[in-house]
Amino acid sequence: MTVAQNNWLDLELSLDSGIYNKHHVVMVRGEGAHVWDENGREYIDCVGGYGVANVGHGNADVVKAVQDQAAKLMIMPQTLPNDKRAEFLKELTDVLPSELSRVFLCNSGTEAMEAAKKFAITATGGRTRFVSMKRGFSGRTLGALALTWEPKYREPFGSAVDDAHVTFVTYGNVEELRAALTDDVAAVILEPVQGEGGVRPGDAAFIQAARELTREKGALLILDEIQTGFCRTGHFFAMEHFGVVPDGVTLAKAMAGGVPIGAFVMTTEVADRMPKGGHGTTFGGNPLAMAAGVAAIRFMRRERLWEQAAAKGDYFMEKLRAIKSSKIREVRGLGLMIGVELKEKSGPYITALEHDEAVLTLQATPLVVRFLPPLTISYEDIDKVVAAFERVLERVNPREVSAEQVKEEKQTE
Ligand SMILES: *Cc1c(COP(=O)(O)O)cnc(C)c1O
C-alpha cells in the first residue's frame, strides 16, 4: 500500500471493485439538501442519494431514532418478533391502500424485486413468465436484472440472466401489453414513473389498463415504487396519481430516511400462497432500520411531505421550462422527480454543474439531466439550481470541454 492513509480519494479508488464511475471528490457531511466535501466546499444535492434522502440529510428525527435504537437492540431475526418491527409494519401499512396489508421486509430495492417475483410465482400456482417494460429498471441482482430493460446491463452475464422468461413491452402501449399477457404470466411489473429510463411519467390509461388486463388474465400487477414512493412524486405513493391499487408494490430507497431497507407489500391473497420457509433474509426487518423507518414515515406525515414535493416540483419545473435554451428538448417529471432531456449528451452539463456551480445532479439515459433533491429543499435552493443550470447551458460548449470533463462524461454514460 503506497497510498497515504488519509488520502481518502486514492484509497477508495485503489481498493474499490472498480465498477463505479467515481467523481473525484470526497463527501463527508450532509444537512438537509446540502452536502460538503472534505475541503469544506458546500454543494446543493439534487442526487439525494439516488432518491433516498427524501427527508433530508441528517434529519433530526431519524438521527435520534437510530441513536436510541442502536443503543437498545440492532439485530433480531424475523423468527423473533420485535416491538420496533411491529410498530414499523403498522406505520407502513397505514400509509398504503388497505388491500396492501402484508409485508415482506428486506434491505434494498433489488431484494424487494426478487421477493416480488417469488411471491408472484407462488400466488399464481407456479406461473413463471413476467411482463416488464422497455426502458424499465428493476435492479441488478440476477432475478431483478432479468426485468431490467437496458441490454448493456444484462448482456455481460449471458444466459445466467433469466430474461427468456420476460417479455418487454413498450411503456404505454396497451395493445402490446394485451398481446404479452399469455396464460403463463405471473405478473406485470412497471414503474409508475420510469426513473433510470429517463424520468418518464406513466400514462394513466395504460396503468389502469394494466390493472384490468392482469385481473382478467389471473396475473398480478406489481408496481415498482422503489424510487417513486415516500412522497417523491407529490403523493405518498405514485399509484395515487392513477387511482390504481396493485396486488403488490416494491419499496426501498427513502423508506427509512437513509438506512438500508426494502419491502414487498402485497395483498393477503398473495402472501398466503407462499409456503412457510419459501423466502427469507437475515438482515430484513432489523430493529435499527425499523426505528429509522418509523421516524422517517412519521416525519413525512407530520410535514405533509407529499404536498411539499407537489408544490416544489411544479415550481421547479415551471422555472426550468422558462429557461430559454435551444439545447433543451423537454422538461418532464412528477413532483420532485424531474428530468430535463437535452438535444445533446447531458454528461458535460452534469460535470460542469458539479465543478463550476457546486450543484450535484445525475444522469438518466445519456441525454437527460435528472434532479432528485431531498423533498425538504428550499425554494431559494431551487432558484439557485435553476440559475446554475441556465448558466451552464449557456456556457458549456460540448465541443470545447476539457479532457477531464470528456473522461467523466464517458464514465457517467
Ligand atoms: C433503485 C431502483 C431499484 C433498485 O434498488 P437498489 O436498492 O439499488 O437495489 C429498482 N427499481 C427502481 C425503480 C429503482 O429506482
Side-chain angles (χ1 to χ4, degrees):
M1 177 58 56
T2 54
V3 175
Q5 285 298 309
N6 61 353
N7 186 338
W8 306 127
L9 181 63
D10 286 353
L11 263 179
E12 182 165 329
L13 293 179
S14 62
L15 296 174
D16 182 81
S17 69
I19 59 174
Y20 296 101
N21 302 313
K22 289 177 187 284
H23 299 210
H24 286 201
V25 287
V26 178
M27 296 301 183
V28 294
R29 192 164 72 82
E31 195 182 311
H34 294 193
V35 291
W36 285 264
D37 71 17
E38 62 178 345
N39 301 316
R41 189 177 191 217
E42 181 176 347
Y43 300 77
I44 301 176
D45 181 16
C46 292
V47 170
Y50 293 168
V52 169
N54 291 15
V55 298
H57 294 287
N59 181 283
D61 295 4
V62 174
V63 170
K64 173 89 172 58
V66 166
Q67 285 173 337
D68 291 352
Q69 191 62 42
K72 200 173 166 204
L73 183 67
M74 279 201 260
I75 187 68
M76 189 53 61
Q78 303 216 47
T79 45
L80 296 160
N82 168 257
D83 55 344
K84 273 297 157 193
R85 190 182 304 133
E87 197 178 354
F88 176 76
L89 292 171
K90 176 80 173 99
E91 282 298 329
L92 177 60
T93 49
D94 276 355
V95 292
L96 280 161
S98 58
E99 295 90 330
L100 299 171
S101 60
R102 300 281 295 277
V103 185
F104 171 77
L105 292 164
C106 52
N107 314 289
S108 66
T110 203
E111 277 178 77
M113 297 308 309
E114 299 288 339
K117 287 181 81 172
K118 288 178 77 174
F119 276 101
I121 292 167
T122 53
T124 55
R127 296 186 186 188
T128 52
R129 175 156 286 281
F130 290 89
V131 175
S132 191
M133 300 295 132
K134 290 182 180 167
R135 292 202 174 107
F137 182 85
S138 296
R140 305 284 211 129
T141 54
L142 288 170
L145 187 57
L147 304 169
T148 291
W149 180 70
E150 178 57 54
K152 77 172 182 225
Y153 291 158
R154 284 183 280 123
E155 275 163 3
F157 309 101
S159 60
V161 185
D162 198 3
D163 45 16
H165 287 263
V166 179
T167 310
F168 290 100
V169 305
T170 305
Y171 190 57
N173 188 318
V174 177
E175 286 320 306
E176 270 185 48
L177 178 62
R178 194 192 306 275
L181 260 169
T182 45
D183 291 337
D184 54 349
V185 171
V188 172
I189 295 171
L190 62 91
E191 300 157 84
V193 181
Q194 290 189 322
E196 298 292 312
V199 190
R200 297 168 198 279
D203 170 54
F206 176 70
I207 294 174
Q208 286 155 8
R211 175 65 287 183
E212 293 313 313
L213 291 170
T214 45
R215 218 168 246 148
E216 273 169 35
K217 286 290 190 173
L220 307 190
L221 175 66
I222 293 170
L223 294 182
D224 177 349
E225 292 238 27
I226 291 168
Q227 194 168 137
T228 54
F230 300 97
C231 309
R232 170 63 58 189
T233 69
H235 274 299
F236 220 103
F237 296 98
M239 64 177 88
E240 298 166 49
H241 289 285
F242 307 109
V244 164
V245 177
D247 302 290
V249 61
T250 51
L251 304 170
K253 293 205 162 99
M255 184 158 48
V259 175
I261 192 168
F264 177 57
V265 190
M266 67 205 108
T267 62
T268 295
E269 294 72 42
V270 173
D272 282 346
R273 297 196 66 181
M274 175 68 86
K276 278 231 184 301
H279 198 40
T281 148
T282 297
F283 279 120
N286 70 83
L288 190 70
M290 298 295 99
V294 168
I297 294 175
R298 288 210 180 127
F299 177 89
M300 291 171 195
R301 294 179 82 164
R302 195 183 68 231
E303 301 296 321
R304 302 183 73 81
L305 210 55
W306 62 94
E307 288 180 3
Q308 293 192 39
K312 290 171 187 174
D314 285 349
Y315 178 82
F316 202 153
M317 280 191 276
E318 199 176 297
K319 293 206 77 167
L320 287 167
R321 288 189 178 113
I323 294 176
K324 286 186 180 47
S325 169
S326 58
K327 293 174 176 174
I328 294 180
R329 180 173 288 144
E330 190 183 19
V331 176
R332 57 179 180 250
L334 204 54
L336 278 173
M337 186 169 175
I338 298 172
V340 179
E341 183 167 327
L342 303 180
K343 293 176 188 162
E344 51 199 70
K345 301 271 166 80
S346 58
Y349 299 93
I350 290 167
T351 303
L353 276 168
E354 177 186 324
H355 288 183
D356 308 340
E357 304 285 353
V359 171
L360 303 175
T361 58
L362 68 159
Q363 202 169 36
T365 77
L367 300 180
V368 176
V369 181
R370 181 162 42 148
F371 301 87
L372 291 175
L375 309 181
T376 56
I377 190 174
S378 67
Y379 285 90
E380 194 190 338
D381 278 341
I382 293 173
D383 289 345
K384 284 185 189 161
V385 169
V386 174
F389 190 44
E390 199 164 7
R391 283 194 293 273
V392 160
L393 283 170
E394 199 153 292
R395 188 174 65 243
V396 173
N397 179 342
R399 284 173 297 276
E400 291 171 12
V401 289
S402 69
E404 190 190 359
Q405 282 177 329
V406 169
K407 203 166 116 237
E408 285 205 15
E409 181 202 1
K410 284 220 176 73
Q411 289 178 342
T412 48
E413 283 164 26

